[in-house]
Amino acid sequence: MKVVRVQKGMLAAGLAVAIGLTAFRLRPPEDGLLPRIARQLAEYYAAARQEKVYLHLDRPVYGTGETIWFSAYVVDASAHRLDSLSQVLHVDLVSPEHRVVARRTLRLQGGRASGDLAITDTLAAGTYVLRAYTNWMRNAGDEFVYSRRLSVWPASPIGPQEPRPVAVPTTAFARARAAAAARPDVQFLPEGGYLVEGLPAVVACKATDPNGRGLDVRGQILNDKNGVVVPSFSSRHAGMGRFAFLPGSGQRYHAHFTMPDGSTADYPLPAVQPSGYTLHVVDGGENFIVEARYRGVPGAPAPGPVQLMTQVRGVAVYPGPRTFTGDAPAAWRMPKKNYPSGIVHFTLFDAEGTPRCERLAFVQNGPAGLRISITPDQPSYGPHAPVQLAVRVTDAAGQPVATNFSLGVSDAGLSALDPTAETIASNLLLTSDLVGYVENPGYYFRSTSAGPNLALDDLLLTQGWRRFVWKQVLAGQAPLQPFSAEHDLSLVGQVVSEHGSRPIANSQLTFLQTRPSKNVTTGTTNANGRFSFVGIPVVDTAVITLQARRSQGGSNVLILPDEGPAIPTQALPPLPSLAAAPAGVAAFVRRSRQAQAADLDMHPERAIRNITLSNVAVTAKRVKIPSDDPRRLYGATGGTVVDFTEMPASQSGMNVLQLLQGRVAGLVITGQAPNLSVQIRNSGTPLFILDGQRVDLDFIANMSSNDVESVEIFKGAEAAIFGGTGGAIAIYTKRADPNYKGADKGPSPGIAIVKMAGFAEVREFYQPRYNALLTNPPADPRTSTLYWNPIVRTNAKGEAELHFFTADGSGTFQAVAEGLSLDGMPALGSSTLTVKGK
């Protein structure tokens, strides 16, 4: 049996990749199919250099008006060592309506970062999605960005509370459509990929509701004459299960299921193939027992030998070929000790090197991670008492291990609300390599008993492999990498044709940054129409205007700034009402509301943000708001209007400023485009406003009059609302007109205005220090989370000490630590501490 360790070091470190790959190539020359495939696989992994992200949170559930504190771990996707390829991390909070409602851009240092996201009290309760990604990891596909569902309960003392009920459709058509949408999704996935006539088959089943949650189903498997093939079947965890049967010749099969609500439904099984291969994998304790079978077309020659390739994150293990003898299967015994812990990818190749069957399984050699022991210095504490936690990290043999970790102390009752939430071990070893939502991932790592192990195998039977595609690997194709690794703030995107049908190569781009500082530069799109501006100086938020032209000079293009991975549109499960919520939710919501109300009493100025006005635009000064044009965001009226739609010359493609020359009294435009100078007599240099957004003269000087509907010039007191002293010129484009009748109301051609946030400032979790001299301490707002430390590192002995004070309240709190050793081993641990009242 051949064991090839494709990657021995950090994939993100270029030198480590070169060394690992060179070591592989320096082996004695090998002939044969699988050595060649292993070599191609090694080259693919070395080129892909994929990354993973994991976020450790201060607690599992939240309320409106609260803050999510997180610690980020960015690792290479193979060895799971803290990565240094990317130096920028993006973290988004996505609402139940599939909108990004909070975003952070963080600077990574050695694969680590920390931050916070506010769940503002203007947001409604519901199921949110927390996602995190680097630009580089998107090359593997948007399905592999970090994603976690969060329950956000109505805890704000003011603002939105429980979601309002949705009206039930009343028309027959609406009822039929709603019923179709509510029909459970049931999938059948034959082990290895196919049902083949006369070959024993194992079929996995996965039943989910419209929100992606598992449904318990039970029923029978029937043939096309409604004969019973499998008399009894039921799912055993999260809507997943399996059954075995022998497919017959020319048969079609279906399942007749009973749903949790008592209704029944029929679902077809995949078609049976007249010939082909099957693959069957059994967990045999210390080994995987693998069997391959083949059924050919009558009269066809016997197949050649088959070969088995297995790999876990680049560690390739392959035995010798096997030949079919009569009806006996080809069989292999694969020792688990040859693999690192994680998902094993089994692939069956025929004699020509074509992949025929695939199967995923899970191997766990020893514990799922290192053990973090957390020991409080006292059995219990009073309010405002000092706490010392002694932390020690050890391996399975009890030896100390140097580890990076983060630790949170929160209300122990909150963990009970989500007891099977993901951990750093379940993420790195399992869910980060799977496509789609995995419900309750922590369940599969709670114990090594038969139940979770069988459920885990059911899960992997229903999942397809997506980290790479064999066709691409075997063809020697380099992985597609449209996204570059970010080392600084960058603005990336694509320039496409006006209707978005094709990318525009060699498009000329002008980058104009107006705030907080002026910055002008140019660039050119690549062959795929993509562009990237790197190293943008942003302290808080920058306003950037992009202008694009074809290489021949035309402006009929669209600029599509990259706004991150696509947001899945699958409906998220609604939260139950507080009355029907799990035990402990009501108490959590009550404590959170009390804490937020006390905080508002101490800081009444924070309540201002809760005042919302309907259908009113609030500006720096009270002015009358125009009633019909949303482009006049500044609320200014009374300027001199030049209507470009009545000017034939505007169709000639002249510059907008050139067309204004000599048409407005007091407006002086001199120079030759694009080097123009603009003055308003007795005022000075004007400000430029494009569809309500402030832009620079350089941008307007390159703007075609074809795109403009009208221009409004404000002089003297008329321009006071804009905050300048030199007057203002407001340009209104045709595309931004709500009454524009053009064929496409998409973005304006050749123009994009982007508001870009800088690196988020790292805040510290509120941690007061009490002493005996403080007789009347202020109210302590810490209720749900007592302590949070996102960046901790043990010494060489695997030890660390943490210190903090208890708050006002009493109760049982749980300290949870997660981390990663220097060689990529996940580490986990928890402990409890008790705070007694006065």
Side-chain angles (χ1 to χ4, degrees):
M1 183 179 299
K2 189 69 175 178
V3 180
V4 179
R5 296 193 175 271
V6 174
Q7 299 297 335
K8 294 184 177 181
M10 292 173 57
L11 278 177
L15 179 60
V17 172
I19 291 174
L21 193 55
T22 301
F24 177 83
R25 286 176 170 169
L26 289 178
R27 295 176 179 273
E30 295 180 276
D31 296 324
L33 173 65
L34 290 190
R36 174 177 60 83
I37 294 175
R39 184 170 59 253
Q40 291 172 311
L41 184 63
E43 292 169 350
Y44 183 89
Y45 267 92
R49 304 169 68 185
Q50 295 173 345
E51 294 178 326
K52 296 180 180 180
V53 174
Y54 175 72
L55 299 184
H56 176 206
L57 310 184
D58 65 311
R59 50 190 160 99
V61 296
Y62 297 88
T64 54
E66 294 188 328
T67 299
I68 302 169
W69 297 88
F70 60 86
S71 181
Y73 297 80
V74 180
V75 303
D76 72 88
S78 287
H80 292 166
R81 293 181 178 176
L82 289 170
D83 198 14
S84 59
L85 177 63
S86 292
Q87 297 177 24
V88 179
L89 177 69
H90 306 275
V91 182
D92 297 340
L93 183 64
V94 181
S95 73
E97 295 77 29
H98 311 294
R99 292 186 299 107
V100 175
V101 294
R103 173 168 285 172
R104 291 288 184 270
T105 302
L106 303 169
R107 186 181 293 279
L108 288 164
Q109 295 183 344
R112 299 283 276 118
S114 64
D116 63 278
L117 285 167
I119 309 171
T120 63
D121 45 23
T122 58
L123 294 174
T127 301
Y128 285 68
V129 173
L130 182 66
R131 67 177 189 173
Y133 55 93
T134 66
N135 203 44
W136 178 260
M137 71 186 294
R138 295 178 60 193
N139 290 316
D142 289 351
E143 301 89 350
F144 288 102
V145 305
Y146 173 85
S147 180
R148 174 174 177 169
R149 292 184 181 182
L150 288 180
S151 296
V152 177
W153 297 92
S156 177
I158 54 178
Q161 297 299 323
E162 295 198 48
R164 297 178 181 178
V166 179
V168 177
T170 56
T171 67
F173 174 76
R175 284 195 300 270
R177 186 170 60 178
R183 175 180 167 88
D185 179 56
V186 179
Q187 300 180 45
F188 297 97
L189 299 106
E191 184 180 20
Y194 304 98
L195 295 177
V196 180
E197 291 180 5
L199 298 184
V202 173
V203 180
C205 175
K206 183 174 184 178
T208 57
D209 66 13
N211 300 317
R213 294 182 297 191
L215 280 177
D216 292 329
V217 296
R218 55 184 173 84
Q220 298 176 319
I221 308 302
L222 310 173
N223 60 22
D224 51 5
K225 297 181 180 179
N226 287 327
V228 177
V229 176
V230 179
S232 178
F233 167 82
S234 61
S235 56
R236 51 188 168 197
H237 175 73
M240 294 177 290
R242 72 178 75 188
F243 57 88
F245 78 113
L246 186 67
S249 175
Q251 293 287 321
R252 296 195 64 85
Y253 299 93
H254 67 279
H256 180 72
F257 280 158
T258 300
M259 302 300 172
D261 61 0
S263 63
T264 60
D266 288 3
Y267 294 87
L269 268 66
V272 178
Q273 306 297 317
S275 63
Y277 294 83
T278 63
L279 185 67
H280 181 50
V281 178
V282 176
D283 189 339
E286 295 182 354
N287 306 287
F288 287 112
I289 310 302
V290 184
E291 292 183 348
R293 296 178 184 270
Y294 175 76
R295 179 183 178 89
V297 178
V306 289
Q307 305 199 54
L308 183 69
M309 167 64 75
T310 71
Q311 66 95 22
V312 179
R313 302 193 311 274
V315 176
V317 182
Y318 49 91
R322 300 289 190 271
T323 301
F324 295 110
T325 303
D327 293 333
W332 297 268
R333 186 181 299 270
M334 306 299 296
K336 294 181 180 179
K337 65 181 181 181
N338 289 332
Y339 305 101
S341 294
I343 297 176
V344 188
H345 181 205
F346 295 87
T347 306
L348 182 72
F349 288 88
D350 65 17
E352 285 72 39
T354 302
R356 293 293 186 176
C357 297
E358 290 188 314
R359 163 76 145 94
L360 301 183
F362 192 83
V363 60
Q364 183 169 318
N365 289 315
L370 303 173
R371 180 176 183 270
I372 302 180
S373 63
I374 306 168
T375 307
D377 63 330
Q378 296 183 36
S380 64
Y381 304 87
H384 303 172
V387 178
Q388 176 181 304
L389 298 181
V391 181
R392 188 167 188 264
V393 185
T394 56
D395 60 17
Q399 296 301 308
V401 181
T403 303
N404 293 277
F405 71 95
S406 42
L407 184 143
V409 181
S410 61
D411 183 351
L414 300 182
S415 297
L417 298 178
D418 195 1
T420 55
E422 73 168 4
T423 65
I424 192 169
S426 68
N427 179 269
L428 294 183
L429 300 180
L430 180 67
T431 55
S432 59
D433 286 321
L434 298 177
V435 172
Y437 171 65
V438 176
E439 188 175 359
N440 300 328
Y443 167 80
Y444 305 106
F445 292 82
R446 294 183 67 183
S447 71
T448 56
S449 61
N453 286 343
L454 288 173
L456 177 54
D457 202 47
D458 289 339
L459 171 70
L460 294 178
L461 277 172
T462 64
Q463 293 286 339
W465 183 261
R466 294 294 183 272
R467 277 285 177 185
F468 62 82
V469 178
W470 275 120
K471 182 178 180 181
Q472 183 179 2
V473 171
L474 297 177
Q477 298 176 6
L480 297 176
Q481 295 173 334
F483 301 98
S484 59
E486 290 181 295
H487 297 151
D488 207 336
L489 289 176
S490 60
L491 175 59
V492 299
Q494 189 178 31
V495 177
V496 298
S497 59
E498 189 172 11
H499 299 290
S501 58
R502 60 187 179 87
I504 303 299
N506 301 315
S507 175
Q508 306 301 309
L509 281 150
T510 301
F511 174 102
L512 304 169
Q513 178 181 343
T514 56
R515 294 195 299 271
S517 59
K518 183 177 179 179
N519 184 19
V520 181
T521 188
T522 59
T524 305
T525 60
N526 64 14
N528 297 317
R530 300 197 65 83
F531 63 86
S532 177
F533 292 97
V534 182
I536 303 171
V538 182
V539 177
D540 184 10
T541 300
V543 179
I544 298 166
T545 303
L546 296 175
Q547 181 184 38
R549 292 290 183 268
R550 293 175 182 264
S551 57
Q552 300 86 359
S555 64
N556 56 331
V557 296
L558 295 180
I559 304 173
L560 304 178
D562 190 353
E563 297 181 351
I567 299 176
T569 57
Q570 182 185 38
L572 294 169
L575 294 180
S577 65
L578 286 177
V585 169
F588 156 67
V589 169
R590 182 175 63 255
R591 288 194 303 269
S592 181
R593 288 180 180 176
Q594 291 171 348
Q596 292 184 57
D599 186 57
L600 288 177
D601 288 341
M602 295 173 58
H603 305 280
E605 72 279 1
R606 298 178 183 173
I608 297 175
R609 70 178 184 269
N610 298 304
I611 302 174
T612 57
L613 304 178
S614 300
N615 302 319
V616 177
V618 181
T619 62
K621 296 185 178 182
R622 287 189 178 273
V623 296
K624 183 178 179 181
I625 304 300
S627 59
D628 60 348
D629 198 332
R631 294 170 293 175
R632 288 175 174 153
L633 300 180
Y634 287 83
T637 57
T640 301
V641 177
V642 178
D643 188 352
F644 274 42
T645 62
E646 298 181 355
M647 300 167 59
S650 68
Q651 306 303 316
S652 65
M654 291 179 62
N655 173 270
V656 62
L657 295 177
Q658 290 176 310
L659 203 58
L660 286 173
Q661 282 179 318
R663 296 183 182 274
V664 179
L667 178 63
V668 180
I669 301 173
T670 58
Q672 296 293 322
N675 300 313
L676 297 170
S677 176
V678 181
Q679 295 283 319
I680 295 180
R681 191 176 296 123
N682 300 324
S683 294
T685 302
L687 301 173
F688 292 92
I689 313 297
L690 177 66
D691 291 330
Q693 297 283 345
R694 188 171 297 183
V695 296
D696 208 331
L697 169 63
D698 294 335
F699 179 79
I700 301 301
N702 286 279
M703 188 174 180
S704 170
S705 60
N706 289 337
D707 302 326
V708 177
E709 180 184 76
S710 61
V711 175
E712 195 166 8
I713 296 90
F714 300 90
K715 309 172 189 175
E718 298 171 350
I721 188 62
F722 299 102
T725 59
I729 298 178
I731 298 98
Y732 305 116
T733 65
K734 298 174 182 177
R735 290 298 177 98
D737 185 350
N739 299 314
Y740 177 62
K741 302 301 182 182
D744 183 7
K745 282 299 296 288
S748 298
I751 300 172
I753 299 176
V754 181
K755 289 187 176 180
M756 181 176 175
F759 285 118
E761 180 182 355
V762 178
R763 297 195 305 146
E764 289 190 9
F765 181 82
Y766 173 72
Q767 184 59 49
R769 298 188 64 84
Y770 296 105
N771 60 65
L773 300 177
L774 194 61
T775 57
N776 293 306
D780 193 329
R782 296 173 299 151
T783 55
S784 297
T785 299
L786 196 61
Y787 175 72
W788 171 246
N789 194 329
I791 307 289
V792 191
R793 183 168 180 171
T794 68
N795 58 23
K797 297 180 180 180
E799 299 174 340
E801 280 190 0
L802 302 175
H803 302 266
F804 62 95
F805 284 80
T806 60
D808 298 340
S810 60
T812 302
F813 294 84
Q814 185 174 36
V816 177
E818 294 188 309
L820 203 64
S821 70
L822 301 183
D823 62 355
M825 284 289 292
L828 307 96
S830 64
S831 181
T832 59
L833 59 93
T834 302
V835 179
K836 297 182 178 181
K838 294 181 180 180

